[in-house]
Amino acid sequence: MAKPNLIKGARTNAALILNEVVVQQRSLNTALAHYLPQVDEKDRGFCQQLCYSSLRYYPTLQFIVHQLIKKPFKAKDKDIEQLLILGILQLRFLNTPDHAAISETVDASKKLKKVWAGGLLNACLRNYLRQQEQINQKLLANEPANYAHPSWLLNLYQHDWPENWQRITEANNKQPPMMLRVNQQKVSREAYLQQLESQQIAASIIEATEYGILLDQPCDVFKLPGFEQGLVSVQDGSAQLATSILNIKLGQRVLDACAAPGGKTCHILETSPDNDVTAIDISADRLLQIQQNTDRLGLHARLVAADAAETNNWWDGQTFDRILIDAPCTGSGVIRRHPDIKLLRHPEDIDTLASKQQALLDNLWPLLKADGLMVYTTCSAFKKENEQQIEAFLQRHPDAEEVKLSSAPATPRPFGYQRLPGDDVMDGFYYACLRRK
Amino acid sequence: MAILNILHFPDPRLRKKAEPIKEVTDDIRQLADDMLETMYDAPGIGLAANQVNVQKRLIVIDISEDKSDPLILINPEILDKQGEREYEEGCLSVPEAYETVVRADTVKIKAVNRDGEPFEFAAEGLLATCVQHEIDHLDGKLFVDYLSNLKRERIKKRLEKHQKQKL
């Protein structure tokens, strides 16, 4: 039998990856892991760029496609629609020369064994170039297409942040910067900056954080000095602040309730490596990622695969000094890092997630020692998951009080602290610190 | 070691049924090694002896990425088949044609190894597809036989044209 017939091109694979996300509703990371290995190594960066950028602008690109085609694509030809989306992306947002964008897109349809689509793709892309002006006029009149967000998502931002929603959506469409957390057990931030400098990696400190570094350009982790030896981890500054406000002290028993992939678990342990730290995640597969991270950094946590909210399945009856709930959420604060959220989240998710968040808060609260701290965080920008969630929690639990932090991790709200996308260089994030009286 | 010549569809010699191997001799072992080398060179993941014009029941397989898992099956037999799996198959005897074939997803196989010892194993996924594809060869059957007449004729015409050009 011959070797499997792998389709190698960046554009063809990007179309297949988009189809997995858009049609099969799989996460971009899952789809990339499946298709990227068959792309020639030199084309993988471009393939990834095509996927991220097209998802970032999907509502805009899809609107344009609808202006160019007479009837919708059949279900089995959605891959051709993805190729058209990618073609327009290249013409409109990337620096691909027009002739290359068109001929390569036509070529990719042959690799998908759909030679019939070549003429259609060619005609649509050329029509786009001719009709750009009229299309741009129509775009301005259509908010979801103009701001590149599905209308339900746009409505929620507009409802919660009538003053800021345009800045939020603009920030969501930008490429995110790469940030690092220096492992304080191994090296100081200043010393590590020098190591980066000696490797010609331009970087600066993130003032708001204790151990954060901002890279000028994203970079392969294995090119970072001492990455494999655990000198640094990749983590946005916003997430680093979550651990800072936990105020970890030596000898404490700590619970990280929704821990995977383990960034905050590791940060907690770097702060105080001998602490008794329990890291829980609902997915056993994702628990492996925590293990890989603690192994690389030379740290140890107790790992449990469970739904943290179902405490009778995993809790040993010993209370905790600190509990971190980095709750599952819509991710509406980190869309720049996960543009597939625009296609994978649906309006009904927000209620499901809010009740999940409430269950975590209510069920884990009794596990906290008197005078202990519970930190609740999300990477959401929606009030229902954040300040309204905490307001309702404080009403239900008279033995809980909010701790007002002397150095605020983000903009103070009536309850907790909110960073919106675009407020600064870091991810959108929400924080609330609660003390048990 | 040597790289052997692979017969191409529609060569009638691919239709001959292969004979069981009575004894695993050094010659058979040499043939298996040559077939592995030929398969890796092609590059392929499975090869049956009648594809290199030896009508004996011997197949070699390696579905690993890095040539790390060679499998030699002498007188292989399918004991049991379960489930269904679609796969876009290609064949070293039918160059550049890839078509979807439905076969069992899990198979139980009985065979003799290169030391002449009988053994049994279960295969699933790509390995199951490959074993069934190669055992078909031993029975004179090709994956194009599962396709529509139209598709098979089209592939045949293309390959005949290629061969004329080579001559």
Side-chain angles (χ1 to χ4, degrees):
Chain A
M1 202 163 120
K3 271 216 157 172
N5 182 25
L6 298 184
I7 297 168
K8 292 204 177 81
R11 288 173 178 85
T12 325
N13 277 289
L16 295 170
I17 291 168
L18 274 188
N19 228 18
E20 286 283 312
V21 176
V22 178
V23 180
Q24 307 291 340
Q25 295 278 294
R26 296 219 169 85
S27 80
L28 175 58
N29 281 337
T30 311
L32 281 171
H34 185 262
Y35 287 98
L36 218 47
Q38 71 187 42
V39 181
D40 278 341
E41 220 167 320
K42 62 173 173 46
D43 293 333
R44 282 182 200 166
F46 181 53
C47 182
Q48 255 175 313
Q49 187 198 11
L50 287 173
C51 296
Y52 274 94
S53 304
S54 56
L55 288 169
R56 218 160 255 150
Y57 293 109
Y58 206 86
T60 312
L61 298 166
Q62 202 172 28
F63 177 85
I64 297 175
V65 164
H66 288 155
Q67 310 303 308
L68 296 169
I69 57 168
K70 290 197 184 69
K71 53 177 187 183
F73 284 93
K74 291 179 197 154
K76 68 181 174 71
D77 295 327
K78 287 285 178 191
D79 49 355
I80 297 299
E81 179 169 7
Q82 312 306 350
L83 271 184
L84 187 50
I85 289 214
L86 290 163
I88 296 164
L89 170 81
Q90 293 164 69
L91 295 175
R92 189 178 178 90
F93 296 107
L94 307 184
N95 300 326
T96 322
D98 293 354
H99 63 89
I102 295 174
S103 68
E104 294 286 331
T105 302
V106 170
D107 202 46
S109 68
K110 291 180 196 152
K111 290 188 189 148
L112 291 172
K113 291 192 171 179
K114 295 189 175 173
V115 181
W116 58 265
L120 174 75
L121 290 168
N122 184 45
C124 284
L125 293 174
R126 288 186 192 282
N127 280 342
Y128 167 72
L129 288 174
R130 273 193 293 270
Q131 299 170 12
Q132 254 182 94
E133 284 306 312
Q134 298 98 291
I135 288 175
N136 286 344
Q137 287 301 321
K138 284 189 198 162
L139 258 174
L140 286 176
N142 183 303
E143 270 196 346
N146 195 23
Y147 291 95
H149 281 66
S151 62
W152 70 271
L153 196 57
L154 203 58
N155 292 342
L156 279 174
Y157 285 126
Q158 289 168 335
H159 175 266
D160 275 9
W161 308 105
E163 311 278 308
N164 309 74
W165 67 271
Q166 277 162 307
R167 215 187 57 210
I168 294 173
T169 51
E170 223 169 274
N172 284 349
N173 293 343
K174 294 225 169 84
Q175 258 187 56
M178 182 164 168
M179 299 183 207
L180 307 177
R181 181 189 75 241
V182 171
N183 182 353
Q184 57 191 286
Q185 292 297 322
K186 299 208 170 173
V187 63
S188 76
R189 177 156 70 169
E190 287 63 35
Y192 193 75
L193 264 181
Q194 283 178 0
Q195 290 198 32
L196 286 173
E197 202 182 329
S198 67
Q199 299 291 316
Q200 271 92 45
I201 300 174
S204 54
I205 61 169
I206 309 167
E207 293 286 353
T209 66
E210 252 183 299
Y211 302 103
I213 289 180
L214 171 67
L215 300 184
D216 284 13
Q217 295 289 327
C219 136
D220 182 348
V221 287
F222 295 104
K223 293 198 175 125
L224 295 170
F227 178 78
E228 282 167 278
Q229 291 72 45
L231 296 196
V232 281
S233 302
V234 177
Q235 191 181 40
D236 191 274
S238 273
Q240 300 182 32
L241 290 170
T243 309
S244 305
I245 62 179
L246 264 179
N247 194 15
I248 298 283
K249 301 261 166 35
L250 189 69
Q252 283 177 335
R253 197 170 133 83
V254 185
L255 172 67
D256 185 353
C258 311
K264 297 180 192 72
T265 313
C266 292
H267 191 185
I268 291 166
L269 284 162
E270 285 168 9
T271 311
S272 195
D274 295 325
N275 280 6
D276 175 1
V277 176
T278 305
I280 300 186
D281 201 89
I282 197 159
S283 151
D285 286 345
R286 304 221 320 143
L287 220 52
L288 277 177
Q289 296 177 311
I290 310 183
Q291 182 81 54
Q292 284 165 3
N293 279 320
T294 50
D295 286 353
R296 182 178 59 86
L297 294 161
L299 301 166
H300 178 77
R302 182 181 312 127
L303 303 181
V304 182
D307 178 350
E310 289 175 14
T311 53
N312 47 359
N313 288 344
W314 61 268
W315 187 42
D316 62 4
Q318 301 227 38
T319 50
F320 294 93
D321 299 287
R322 296 286 184 266
I323 295 178
L324 172 62
I325 303 177
D326 184 28
C329 68
T330 52
S332 54
V334 292
I335 287 185
R336 61 176 188 164
R337 290 199 192 278
H338 303 285
D340 51 343
I341 289 173
K342 287 179 178 175
L343 288 143
L344 298 178
R345 283 273 175 244
H346 300 287
E348 60 275 17
D349 294 345
I350 188 161
D351 285 332
T352 318
L353 287 162
S355 51
K356 181 80 221 166
Q357 291 153 1
Q358 186 185 325
L360 283 163
L361 281 162
D362 286 347
N363 298 357
L364 293 176
W365 184 249
L367 277 55
L368 188 65
K369 281 182 192 168
D371 210 35
L373 295 180
M374 174 183 274
V375 168
Y376 173 82
T377 60
T378 71
C379 50
S380 169
F382 297 144
K383 291 179 180 173
K384 195 165 186 179
E385 300 179 274
N386 297 340
E387 57 190 76
Q388 289 169 5
Q389 185 71 267
I390 293 304
E391 180 179 14
F393 176 81
L394 288 168
Q395 278 168 6
R396 287 194 303 275
H397 298 266
D399 61 337
E401 60 177 0
E402 194 199 336
V403 181
K404 293 292 173 189
L405 301 162
S406 53
S407 65
T411 309
R413 298 292 309 163
F415 299 91
Y417 303 84
Q418 179 77 58
R419 175 177 295 100
L420 295 173
D423 277 359
D424 57 31
V425 71
M426 294 183 271
D427 282 344
F429 228 80
Y430 175 80
Y431 313 82
C433 184
L434 308 163
R435 179 186 287 115
R436 189 163 185 186
K437 291 181 202 162
Chain B
M1 300 278 274
I3 289 177
L4 310 168
N5 184 34
I6 298 175
L7 303 178
H8 285 174
F9 174 69
D11 192 312
R13 288 172 288 180
L14 287 168
R15 296 302 188 181
K16 287 193 197 164
K17 212 174 152 154
E19 296 296 321
I21 292 170
K22 291 193 186 92
E23 195 189 345
V24 182
T25 59
D26 282 348
D27 285 352
I28 294 293
R29 281 186 276 270
Q30 181 64 49
L31 173 63
D33 289 343
D34 288 347
M35 280 170 57
L36 275 170
E37 199 186 351
T38 307
M39 175 187 83
Y40 288 136
D41 178 69
I45 57 170
L47 187 68
N50 33 1
Q51 288 180 276
V52 293
N53 198 22
V54 178
Q55 276 69 43
K56 295 199 168 109
R57 298 193 80 82
L58 164 62
I59 63 180
V60 295
I61 289 175
D62 189 345
I63 61 163
S64 73
E65 292 277 328
D66 52 357
K67 311 181 181 180
S68 61
D69 202 10
L71 188 60
I72 295 170
L73 303 179
I74 296 164
N75 300 335
E77 278 175 55
I78 297 174
L79 299 177
D80 187 33
K81 291 186 183 189
Q82 302 262 312
E84 268 191 7
R85 174 177 197 266
E86 266 189 19
Y87 191 75
E88 195 175 64
E89 293 184 18
C91 178
L92 297 177
S93 292
V94 191
E96 283 162 46
Y98 290 88
E99 294 294 344
T100 303
V101 177
V102 182
R103 299 186 189 267
D105 177 55
T106 315
V107 289
K108 213 173 146 196
I109 304 291
K110 179 178 127 181
V112 170
N113 70 12
R114 61 176 292 140
D115 299 317
E117 293 154 356
F119 70 109
E120 284 180 19
F121 70 104
E124 59 174 9
L126 179 58
L127 183 59
T129 299
C130 191
V131 174
Q132 292 170 82
H133 177 117
E134 301 311 331
I135 291 178
D136 268 358
H137 274 300
L138 300 180
D139 295 327
K141 202 165 180 189
L142 299 171
F143 88 100
V144 293
D145 300 349
Y146 295 96
L147 309 178
S148 67
N149 286 337
L150 184 74
K151 273 189 180 169
R152 187 168 52 251
E153 282 307 308
R154 201 189 297 150
I155 293 170
K156 189 174 150 189
K157 288 229 169 71
R158 182 171 58 75
L159 289 178
E160 281 171 342
K161 203 167 126 195
H162 262 259
Q163 274 152 24
K164 267 185 209 148
Q165 277 166 357
K166 260 193 257 173
L167 297 172

